[in-house]
Amino acid sequence: MARGYLERVLLGEERGTFSWGIRFLLGPLALVYLVGLTVYLALYWVGLRKRYRLPTAVISVGNLTFGGTGKTPTVQAICRMLQQMGKKVAVLSRGYGGASSDCVIVSDGDRVWADAAKCGDEPILLAKGLPGIPVIVGKNRRRTGELACSRFCPDVIVLDDGLQYWQLHRDLDIVVVDAVRPFGSGFLMPMGDLREPVGGLKRAGVVLINNSDSTPFTEATVRLVRNLVGGALIVRARPVPATLYAVEQDRYLELEWLAGKRIAAFCGIGRPGSFLQTLESLGASVEIFMEFSDHHRYTRKELKSIEENSVRCGVEAIVTTEKDWSRLGDNAQIRNLYVLGIRLEIEEIEQLAEHISNRINRASKAIAAS
């Protein structure tokens, strides 16, 4: 309970007197973090530290805040776009929540070799959703990048969650922001959920405004972003339900199957409310909805409780997200389980493809000349 309240405070969802007191106490730590970050970055600005350049084009997908902006679906969309261009692609991920600190080949493009306990849930989701694309996990992106280049010889590397990975040179930074809350709480960590000051958006070559179909979203958000990024390409996107997988039947169903069904649902993602809204938009009657913290590791006891509560309420199905399913592992033995898959729909897809292609060509020329 206390942890959940603190998360809401940092996300800016709590605005009561007590929450402001917590922010006031954390303010000095946020100032220390800002000073430390500024000094660290100054070493790059004056040339005392150099960014390492891999022998291939590198595209980063990242965000300014912690979680909930749709970074992983964006990585998937960019990788599929690159595949359609005929490019050989590899993905580098840090593997948040995984136990391994070494370089791990999660997928070689043909087979998934690791699990979420070892490398985190997002790399598993990427590996399962991107056939033909190797996924490598490791905290040191220079090492994982060198491994990807030597083992798979990619034309381009996509750096998952790479905006704040200063050590590695990128040829394009794609920054994902939420249409309703583009800068999260507006406060720097640990006072809020900003990883760096809002001015960091100036490094973006592309800003992807996700959830652009949200009712509160207005063109004022676009103007606000435009004032910060200048000439960067701004594109709009929205997540759309794409697949419904019946785990016990090992087959995909039409999304219309959910219409009129009484269901139970559970998730541990950055924006659980969006999952609930998606289910309701598909016509499902959500009788039970259980929220867990982002990247939550489910126990057998928790899943048994979910199943028992669902049986007690007489629901027809239990539905979760692809991200949650990827971290269930051996605990996935839950009856009547269905998995809803989400894909990103980008409005200005042709402009984005052209922009990315130009950056890759420019990077190839620079690497050849070096």
Side-chain angles (χ1 to χ4, degrees):
M1 185 71 71
R3 179 181 176 181
Y5 177 80
L6 183 58
E7 286 182 354
R8 293 194 300 274
V9 170
L10 300 184
L11 292 173
E13 297 172 356
E14 292 286 345
R15 294 285 176 172
T17 303
F18 186 65
S19 66
W20 283 108
I22 294 176
R23 292 189 190 96
F24 177 78
L25 293 175
L26 293 174
L29 294 178
L31 181 60
V32 171
Y33 172 75
L34 176 60
V35 171
L37 179 61
T38 302
V39 171
Y40 177 76
L41 293 182
L43 298 177
Y44 286 96
W45 297 333
V46 301
L48 294 179
R49 292 180 67 99
K50 301 289 186 182
R51 287 187 174 185
Y52 180 74
R53 179 156 202 159
L54 291 169
T56 192
V58 176
I59 297 173
S60 163
V61 177
N63 48 17
L64 292 174
T65 60
F66 288 103
T69 60
K71 177 173 53 60
T72 300
T74 303
V75 171
Q76 291 177 319
I78 297 301
C79 287
R80 293 188 184 107
M81 179 187 295
L82 290 167
Q83 276 187 318
Q84 290 174 358
M85 293 179 186
K87 303 294 185 183
K88 291 179 61 179
V89 187
V91 175
L92 307 185
S93 176
R94 185 183 183 280
Y96 179 83
S100 177
S101 59
D102 298 324
C103 296
V104 177
I105 296 179
V106 180
S107 167
D108 58 8
D110 296 320
R111 178 179 173 185
V112 178
W113 295 94
D115 58 22
K118 185 175 184 179
C119 64
D121 53 7
E122 290 171 350
I124 293 297
L125 181 57
L126 291 170
K128 289 182 176 179
L130 295 172
I133 296 180
V135 178
I136 304 173
V137 159
K139 294 180 180 179
N140 187 328
R141 249 63 86 76
R142 173 175 174 170
R143 288 182 57 202
T144 54
E146 290 173 339
L147 175 60
C149 289
S150 63
R151 178 78 179 269
F152 302 109
C153 302
D155 300 314
V156 58
I157 283 176
V158 176
L159 194 62
D160 176 30
D161 197 13
L163 183 62
Q164 287 79 31
Y165 194 76
W166 320 99
Q167 299 96 313
L168 195 65
H169 170 86
R170 281 96 68 178
D171 299 288
L172 175 63
D173 274 310
I174 299 174
V175 182
V176 186
V177 300
D178 182 72
V180 180
R181 303 173 69 248
F183 309 126
S185 66
F187 299 110
L188 196 64
M189 63 175 290
M191 190 178 176
D193 59 346
L194 277 173
R195 300 181 179 193
E196 60 175 299
V198 172
L201 198 60
K202 294 177 181 178
R203 301 197 306 279
V206 173
V207 178
L208 186 145
I209 302 178
N210 198 12
N211 301 304
S212 60
D213 58 340
S214 300
T215 303
F217 171 65
T218 65
E219 287 300 314
T221 301
V222 179
R223 291 194 294 271
L224 178 62
V225 171
R226 171 65 66 198
N227 289 336
L228 282 169
V229 299
L233 176 66
I234 298 177
V235 298
R236 299 166 180 82
R238 63 188 183 98
V240 295
T243 58
L244 182 65
Y245 177 63
V247 176
E248 288 181 313
Q249 303 171 40
D250 188 25
R251 69 187 182 97
Y252 286 92
L253 307 177
E254 297 294 329
L255 293 173
E256 289 76 11
W257 184 88
L258 283 172
K261 294 287 193 303
R262 299 178 67 247
I263 70 168
F266 68 96
C267 67
I269 57 177
R271 295 180 67 235
S274 63
F275 180 48
L276 175 59
Q277 291 171 6
T278 299
L279 291 171
E280 291 176 338
S281 72
L282 291 170
S285 176
V286 184
E287 306 296 323
I288 303 174
F289 187 71
M290 291 155 281
E291 298 179 18
F292 297 85
S293 60
D294 198 10
H295 302 286
H296 180 73
R297 292 264 175 232
Y298 296 97
T299 64
R300 291 183 183 274
K301 183 178 179 181
E302 288 172 334
L303 294 177
K304 183 178 180 181
S305 176
I306 291 172
E307 188 174 359
E308 290 175 347
N309 289 337
S310 302
V311 171
R312 193 177 302 117
C313 291
V315 300
E316 299 171 78
I318 302 173
V319 187
T320 192
T321 70
E322 281 184 319
K323 184 176 176 182
D324 288 280
W325 185 49
S326 70
R327 80 176 85 99
L328 293 185
D330 294 335
N331 293 329
Q333 302 302 317
I334 179 171
R335 290 176 295 176
N336 212 18
L337 181 64
Y338 296 79
V339 181
L340 184 67
I342 300 295
R343 298 294 180 266
L344 200 67
E345 189 175 86
I346 302 173
E347 291 184 24
E348 298 87 354
I349 188 72
E350 293 182 0
Q351 296 95 311
L352 179 59
E354 182 180 3
H355 190 86
I356 289 175
S357 179
N358 290 338
R359 287 298 184 98
I360 292 174
N361 293 337
R362 190 186 307 172
S364 299
K365 292 177 181 178
I367 293 169
S370 62

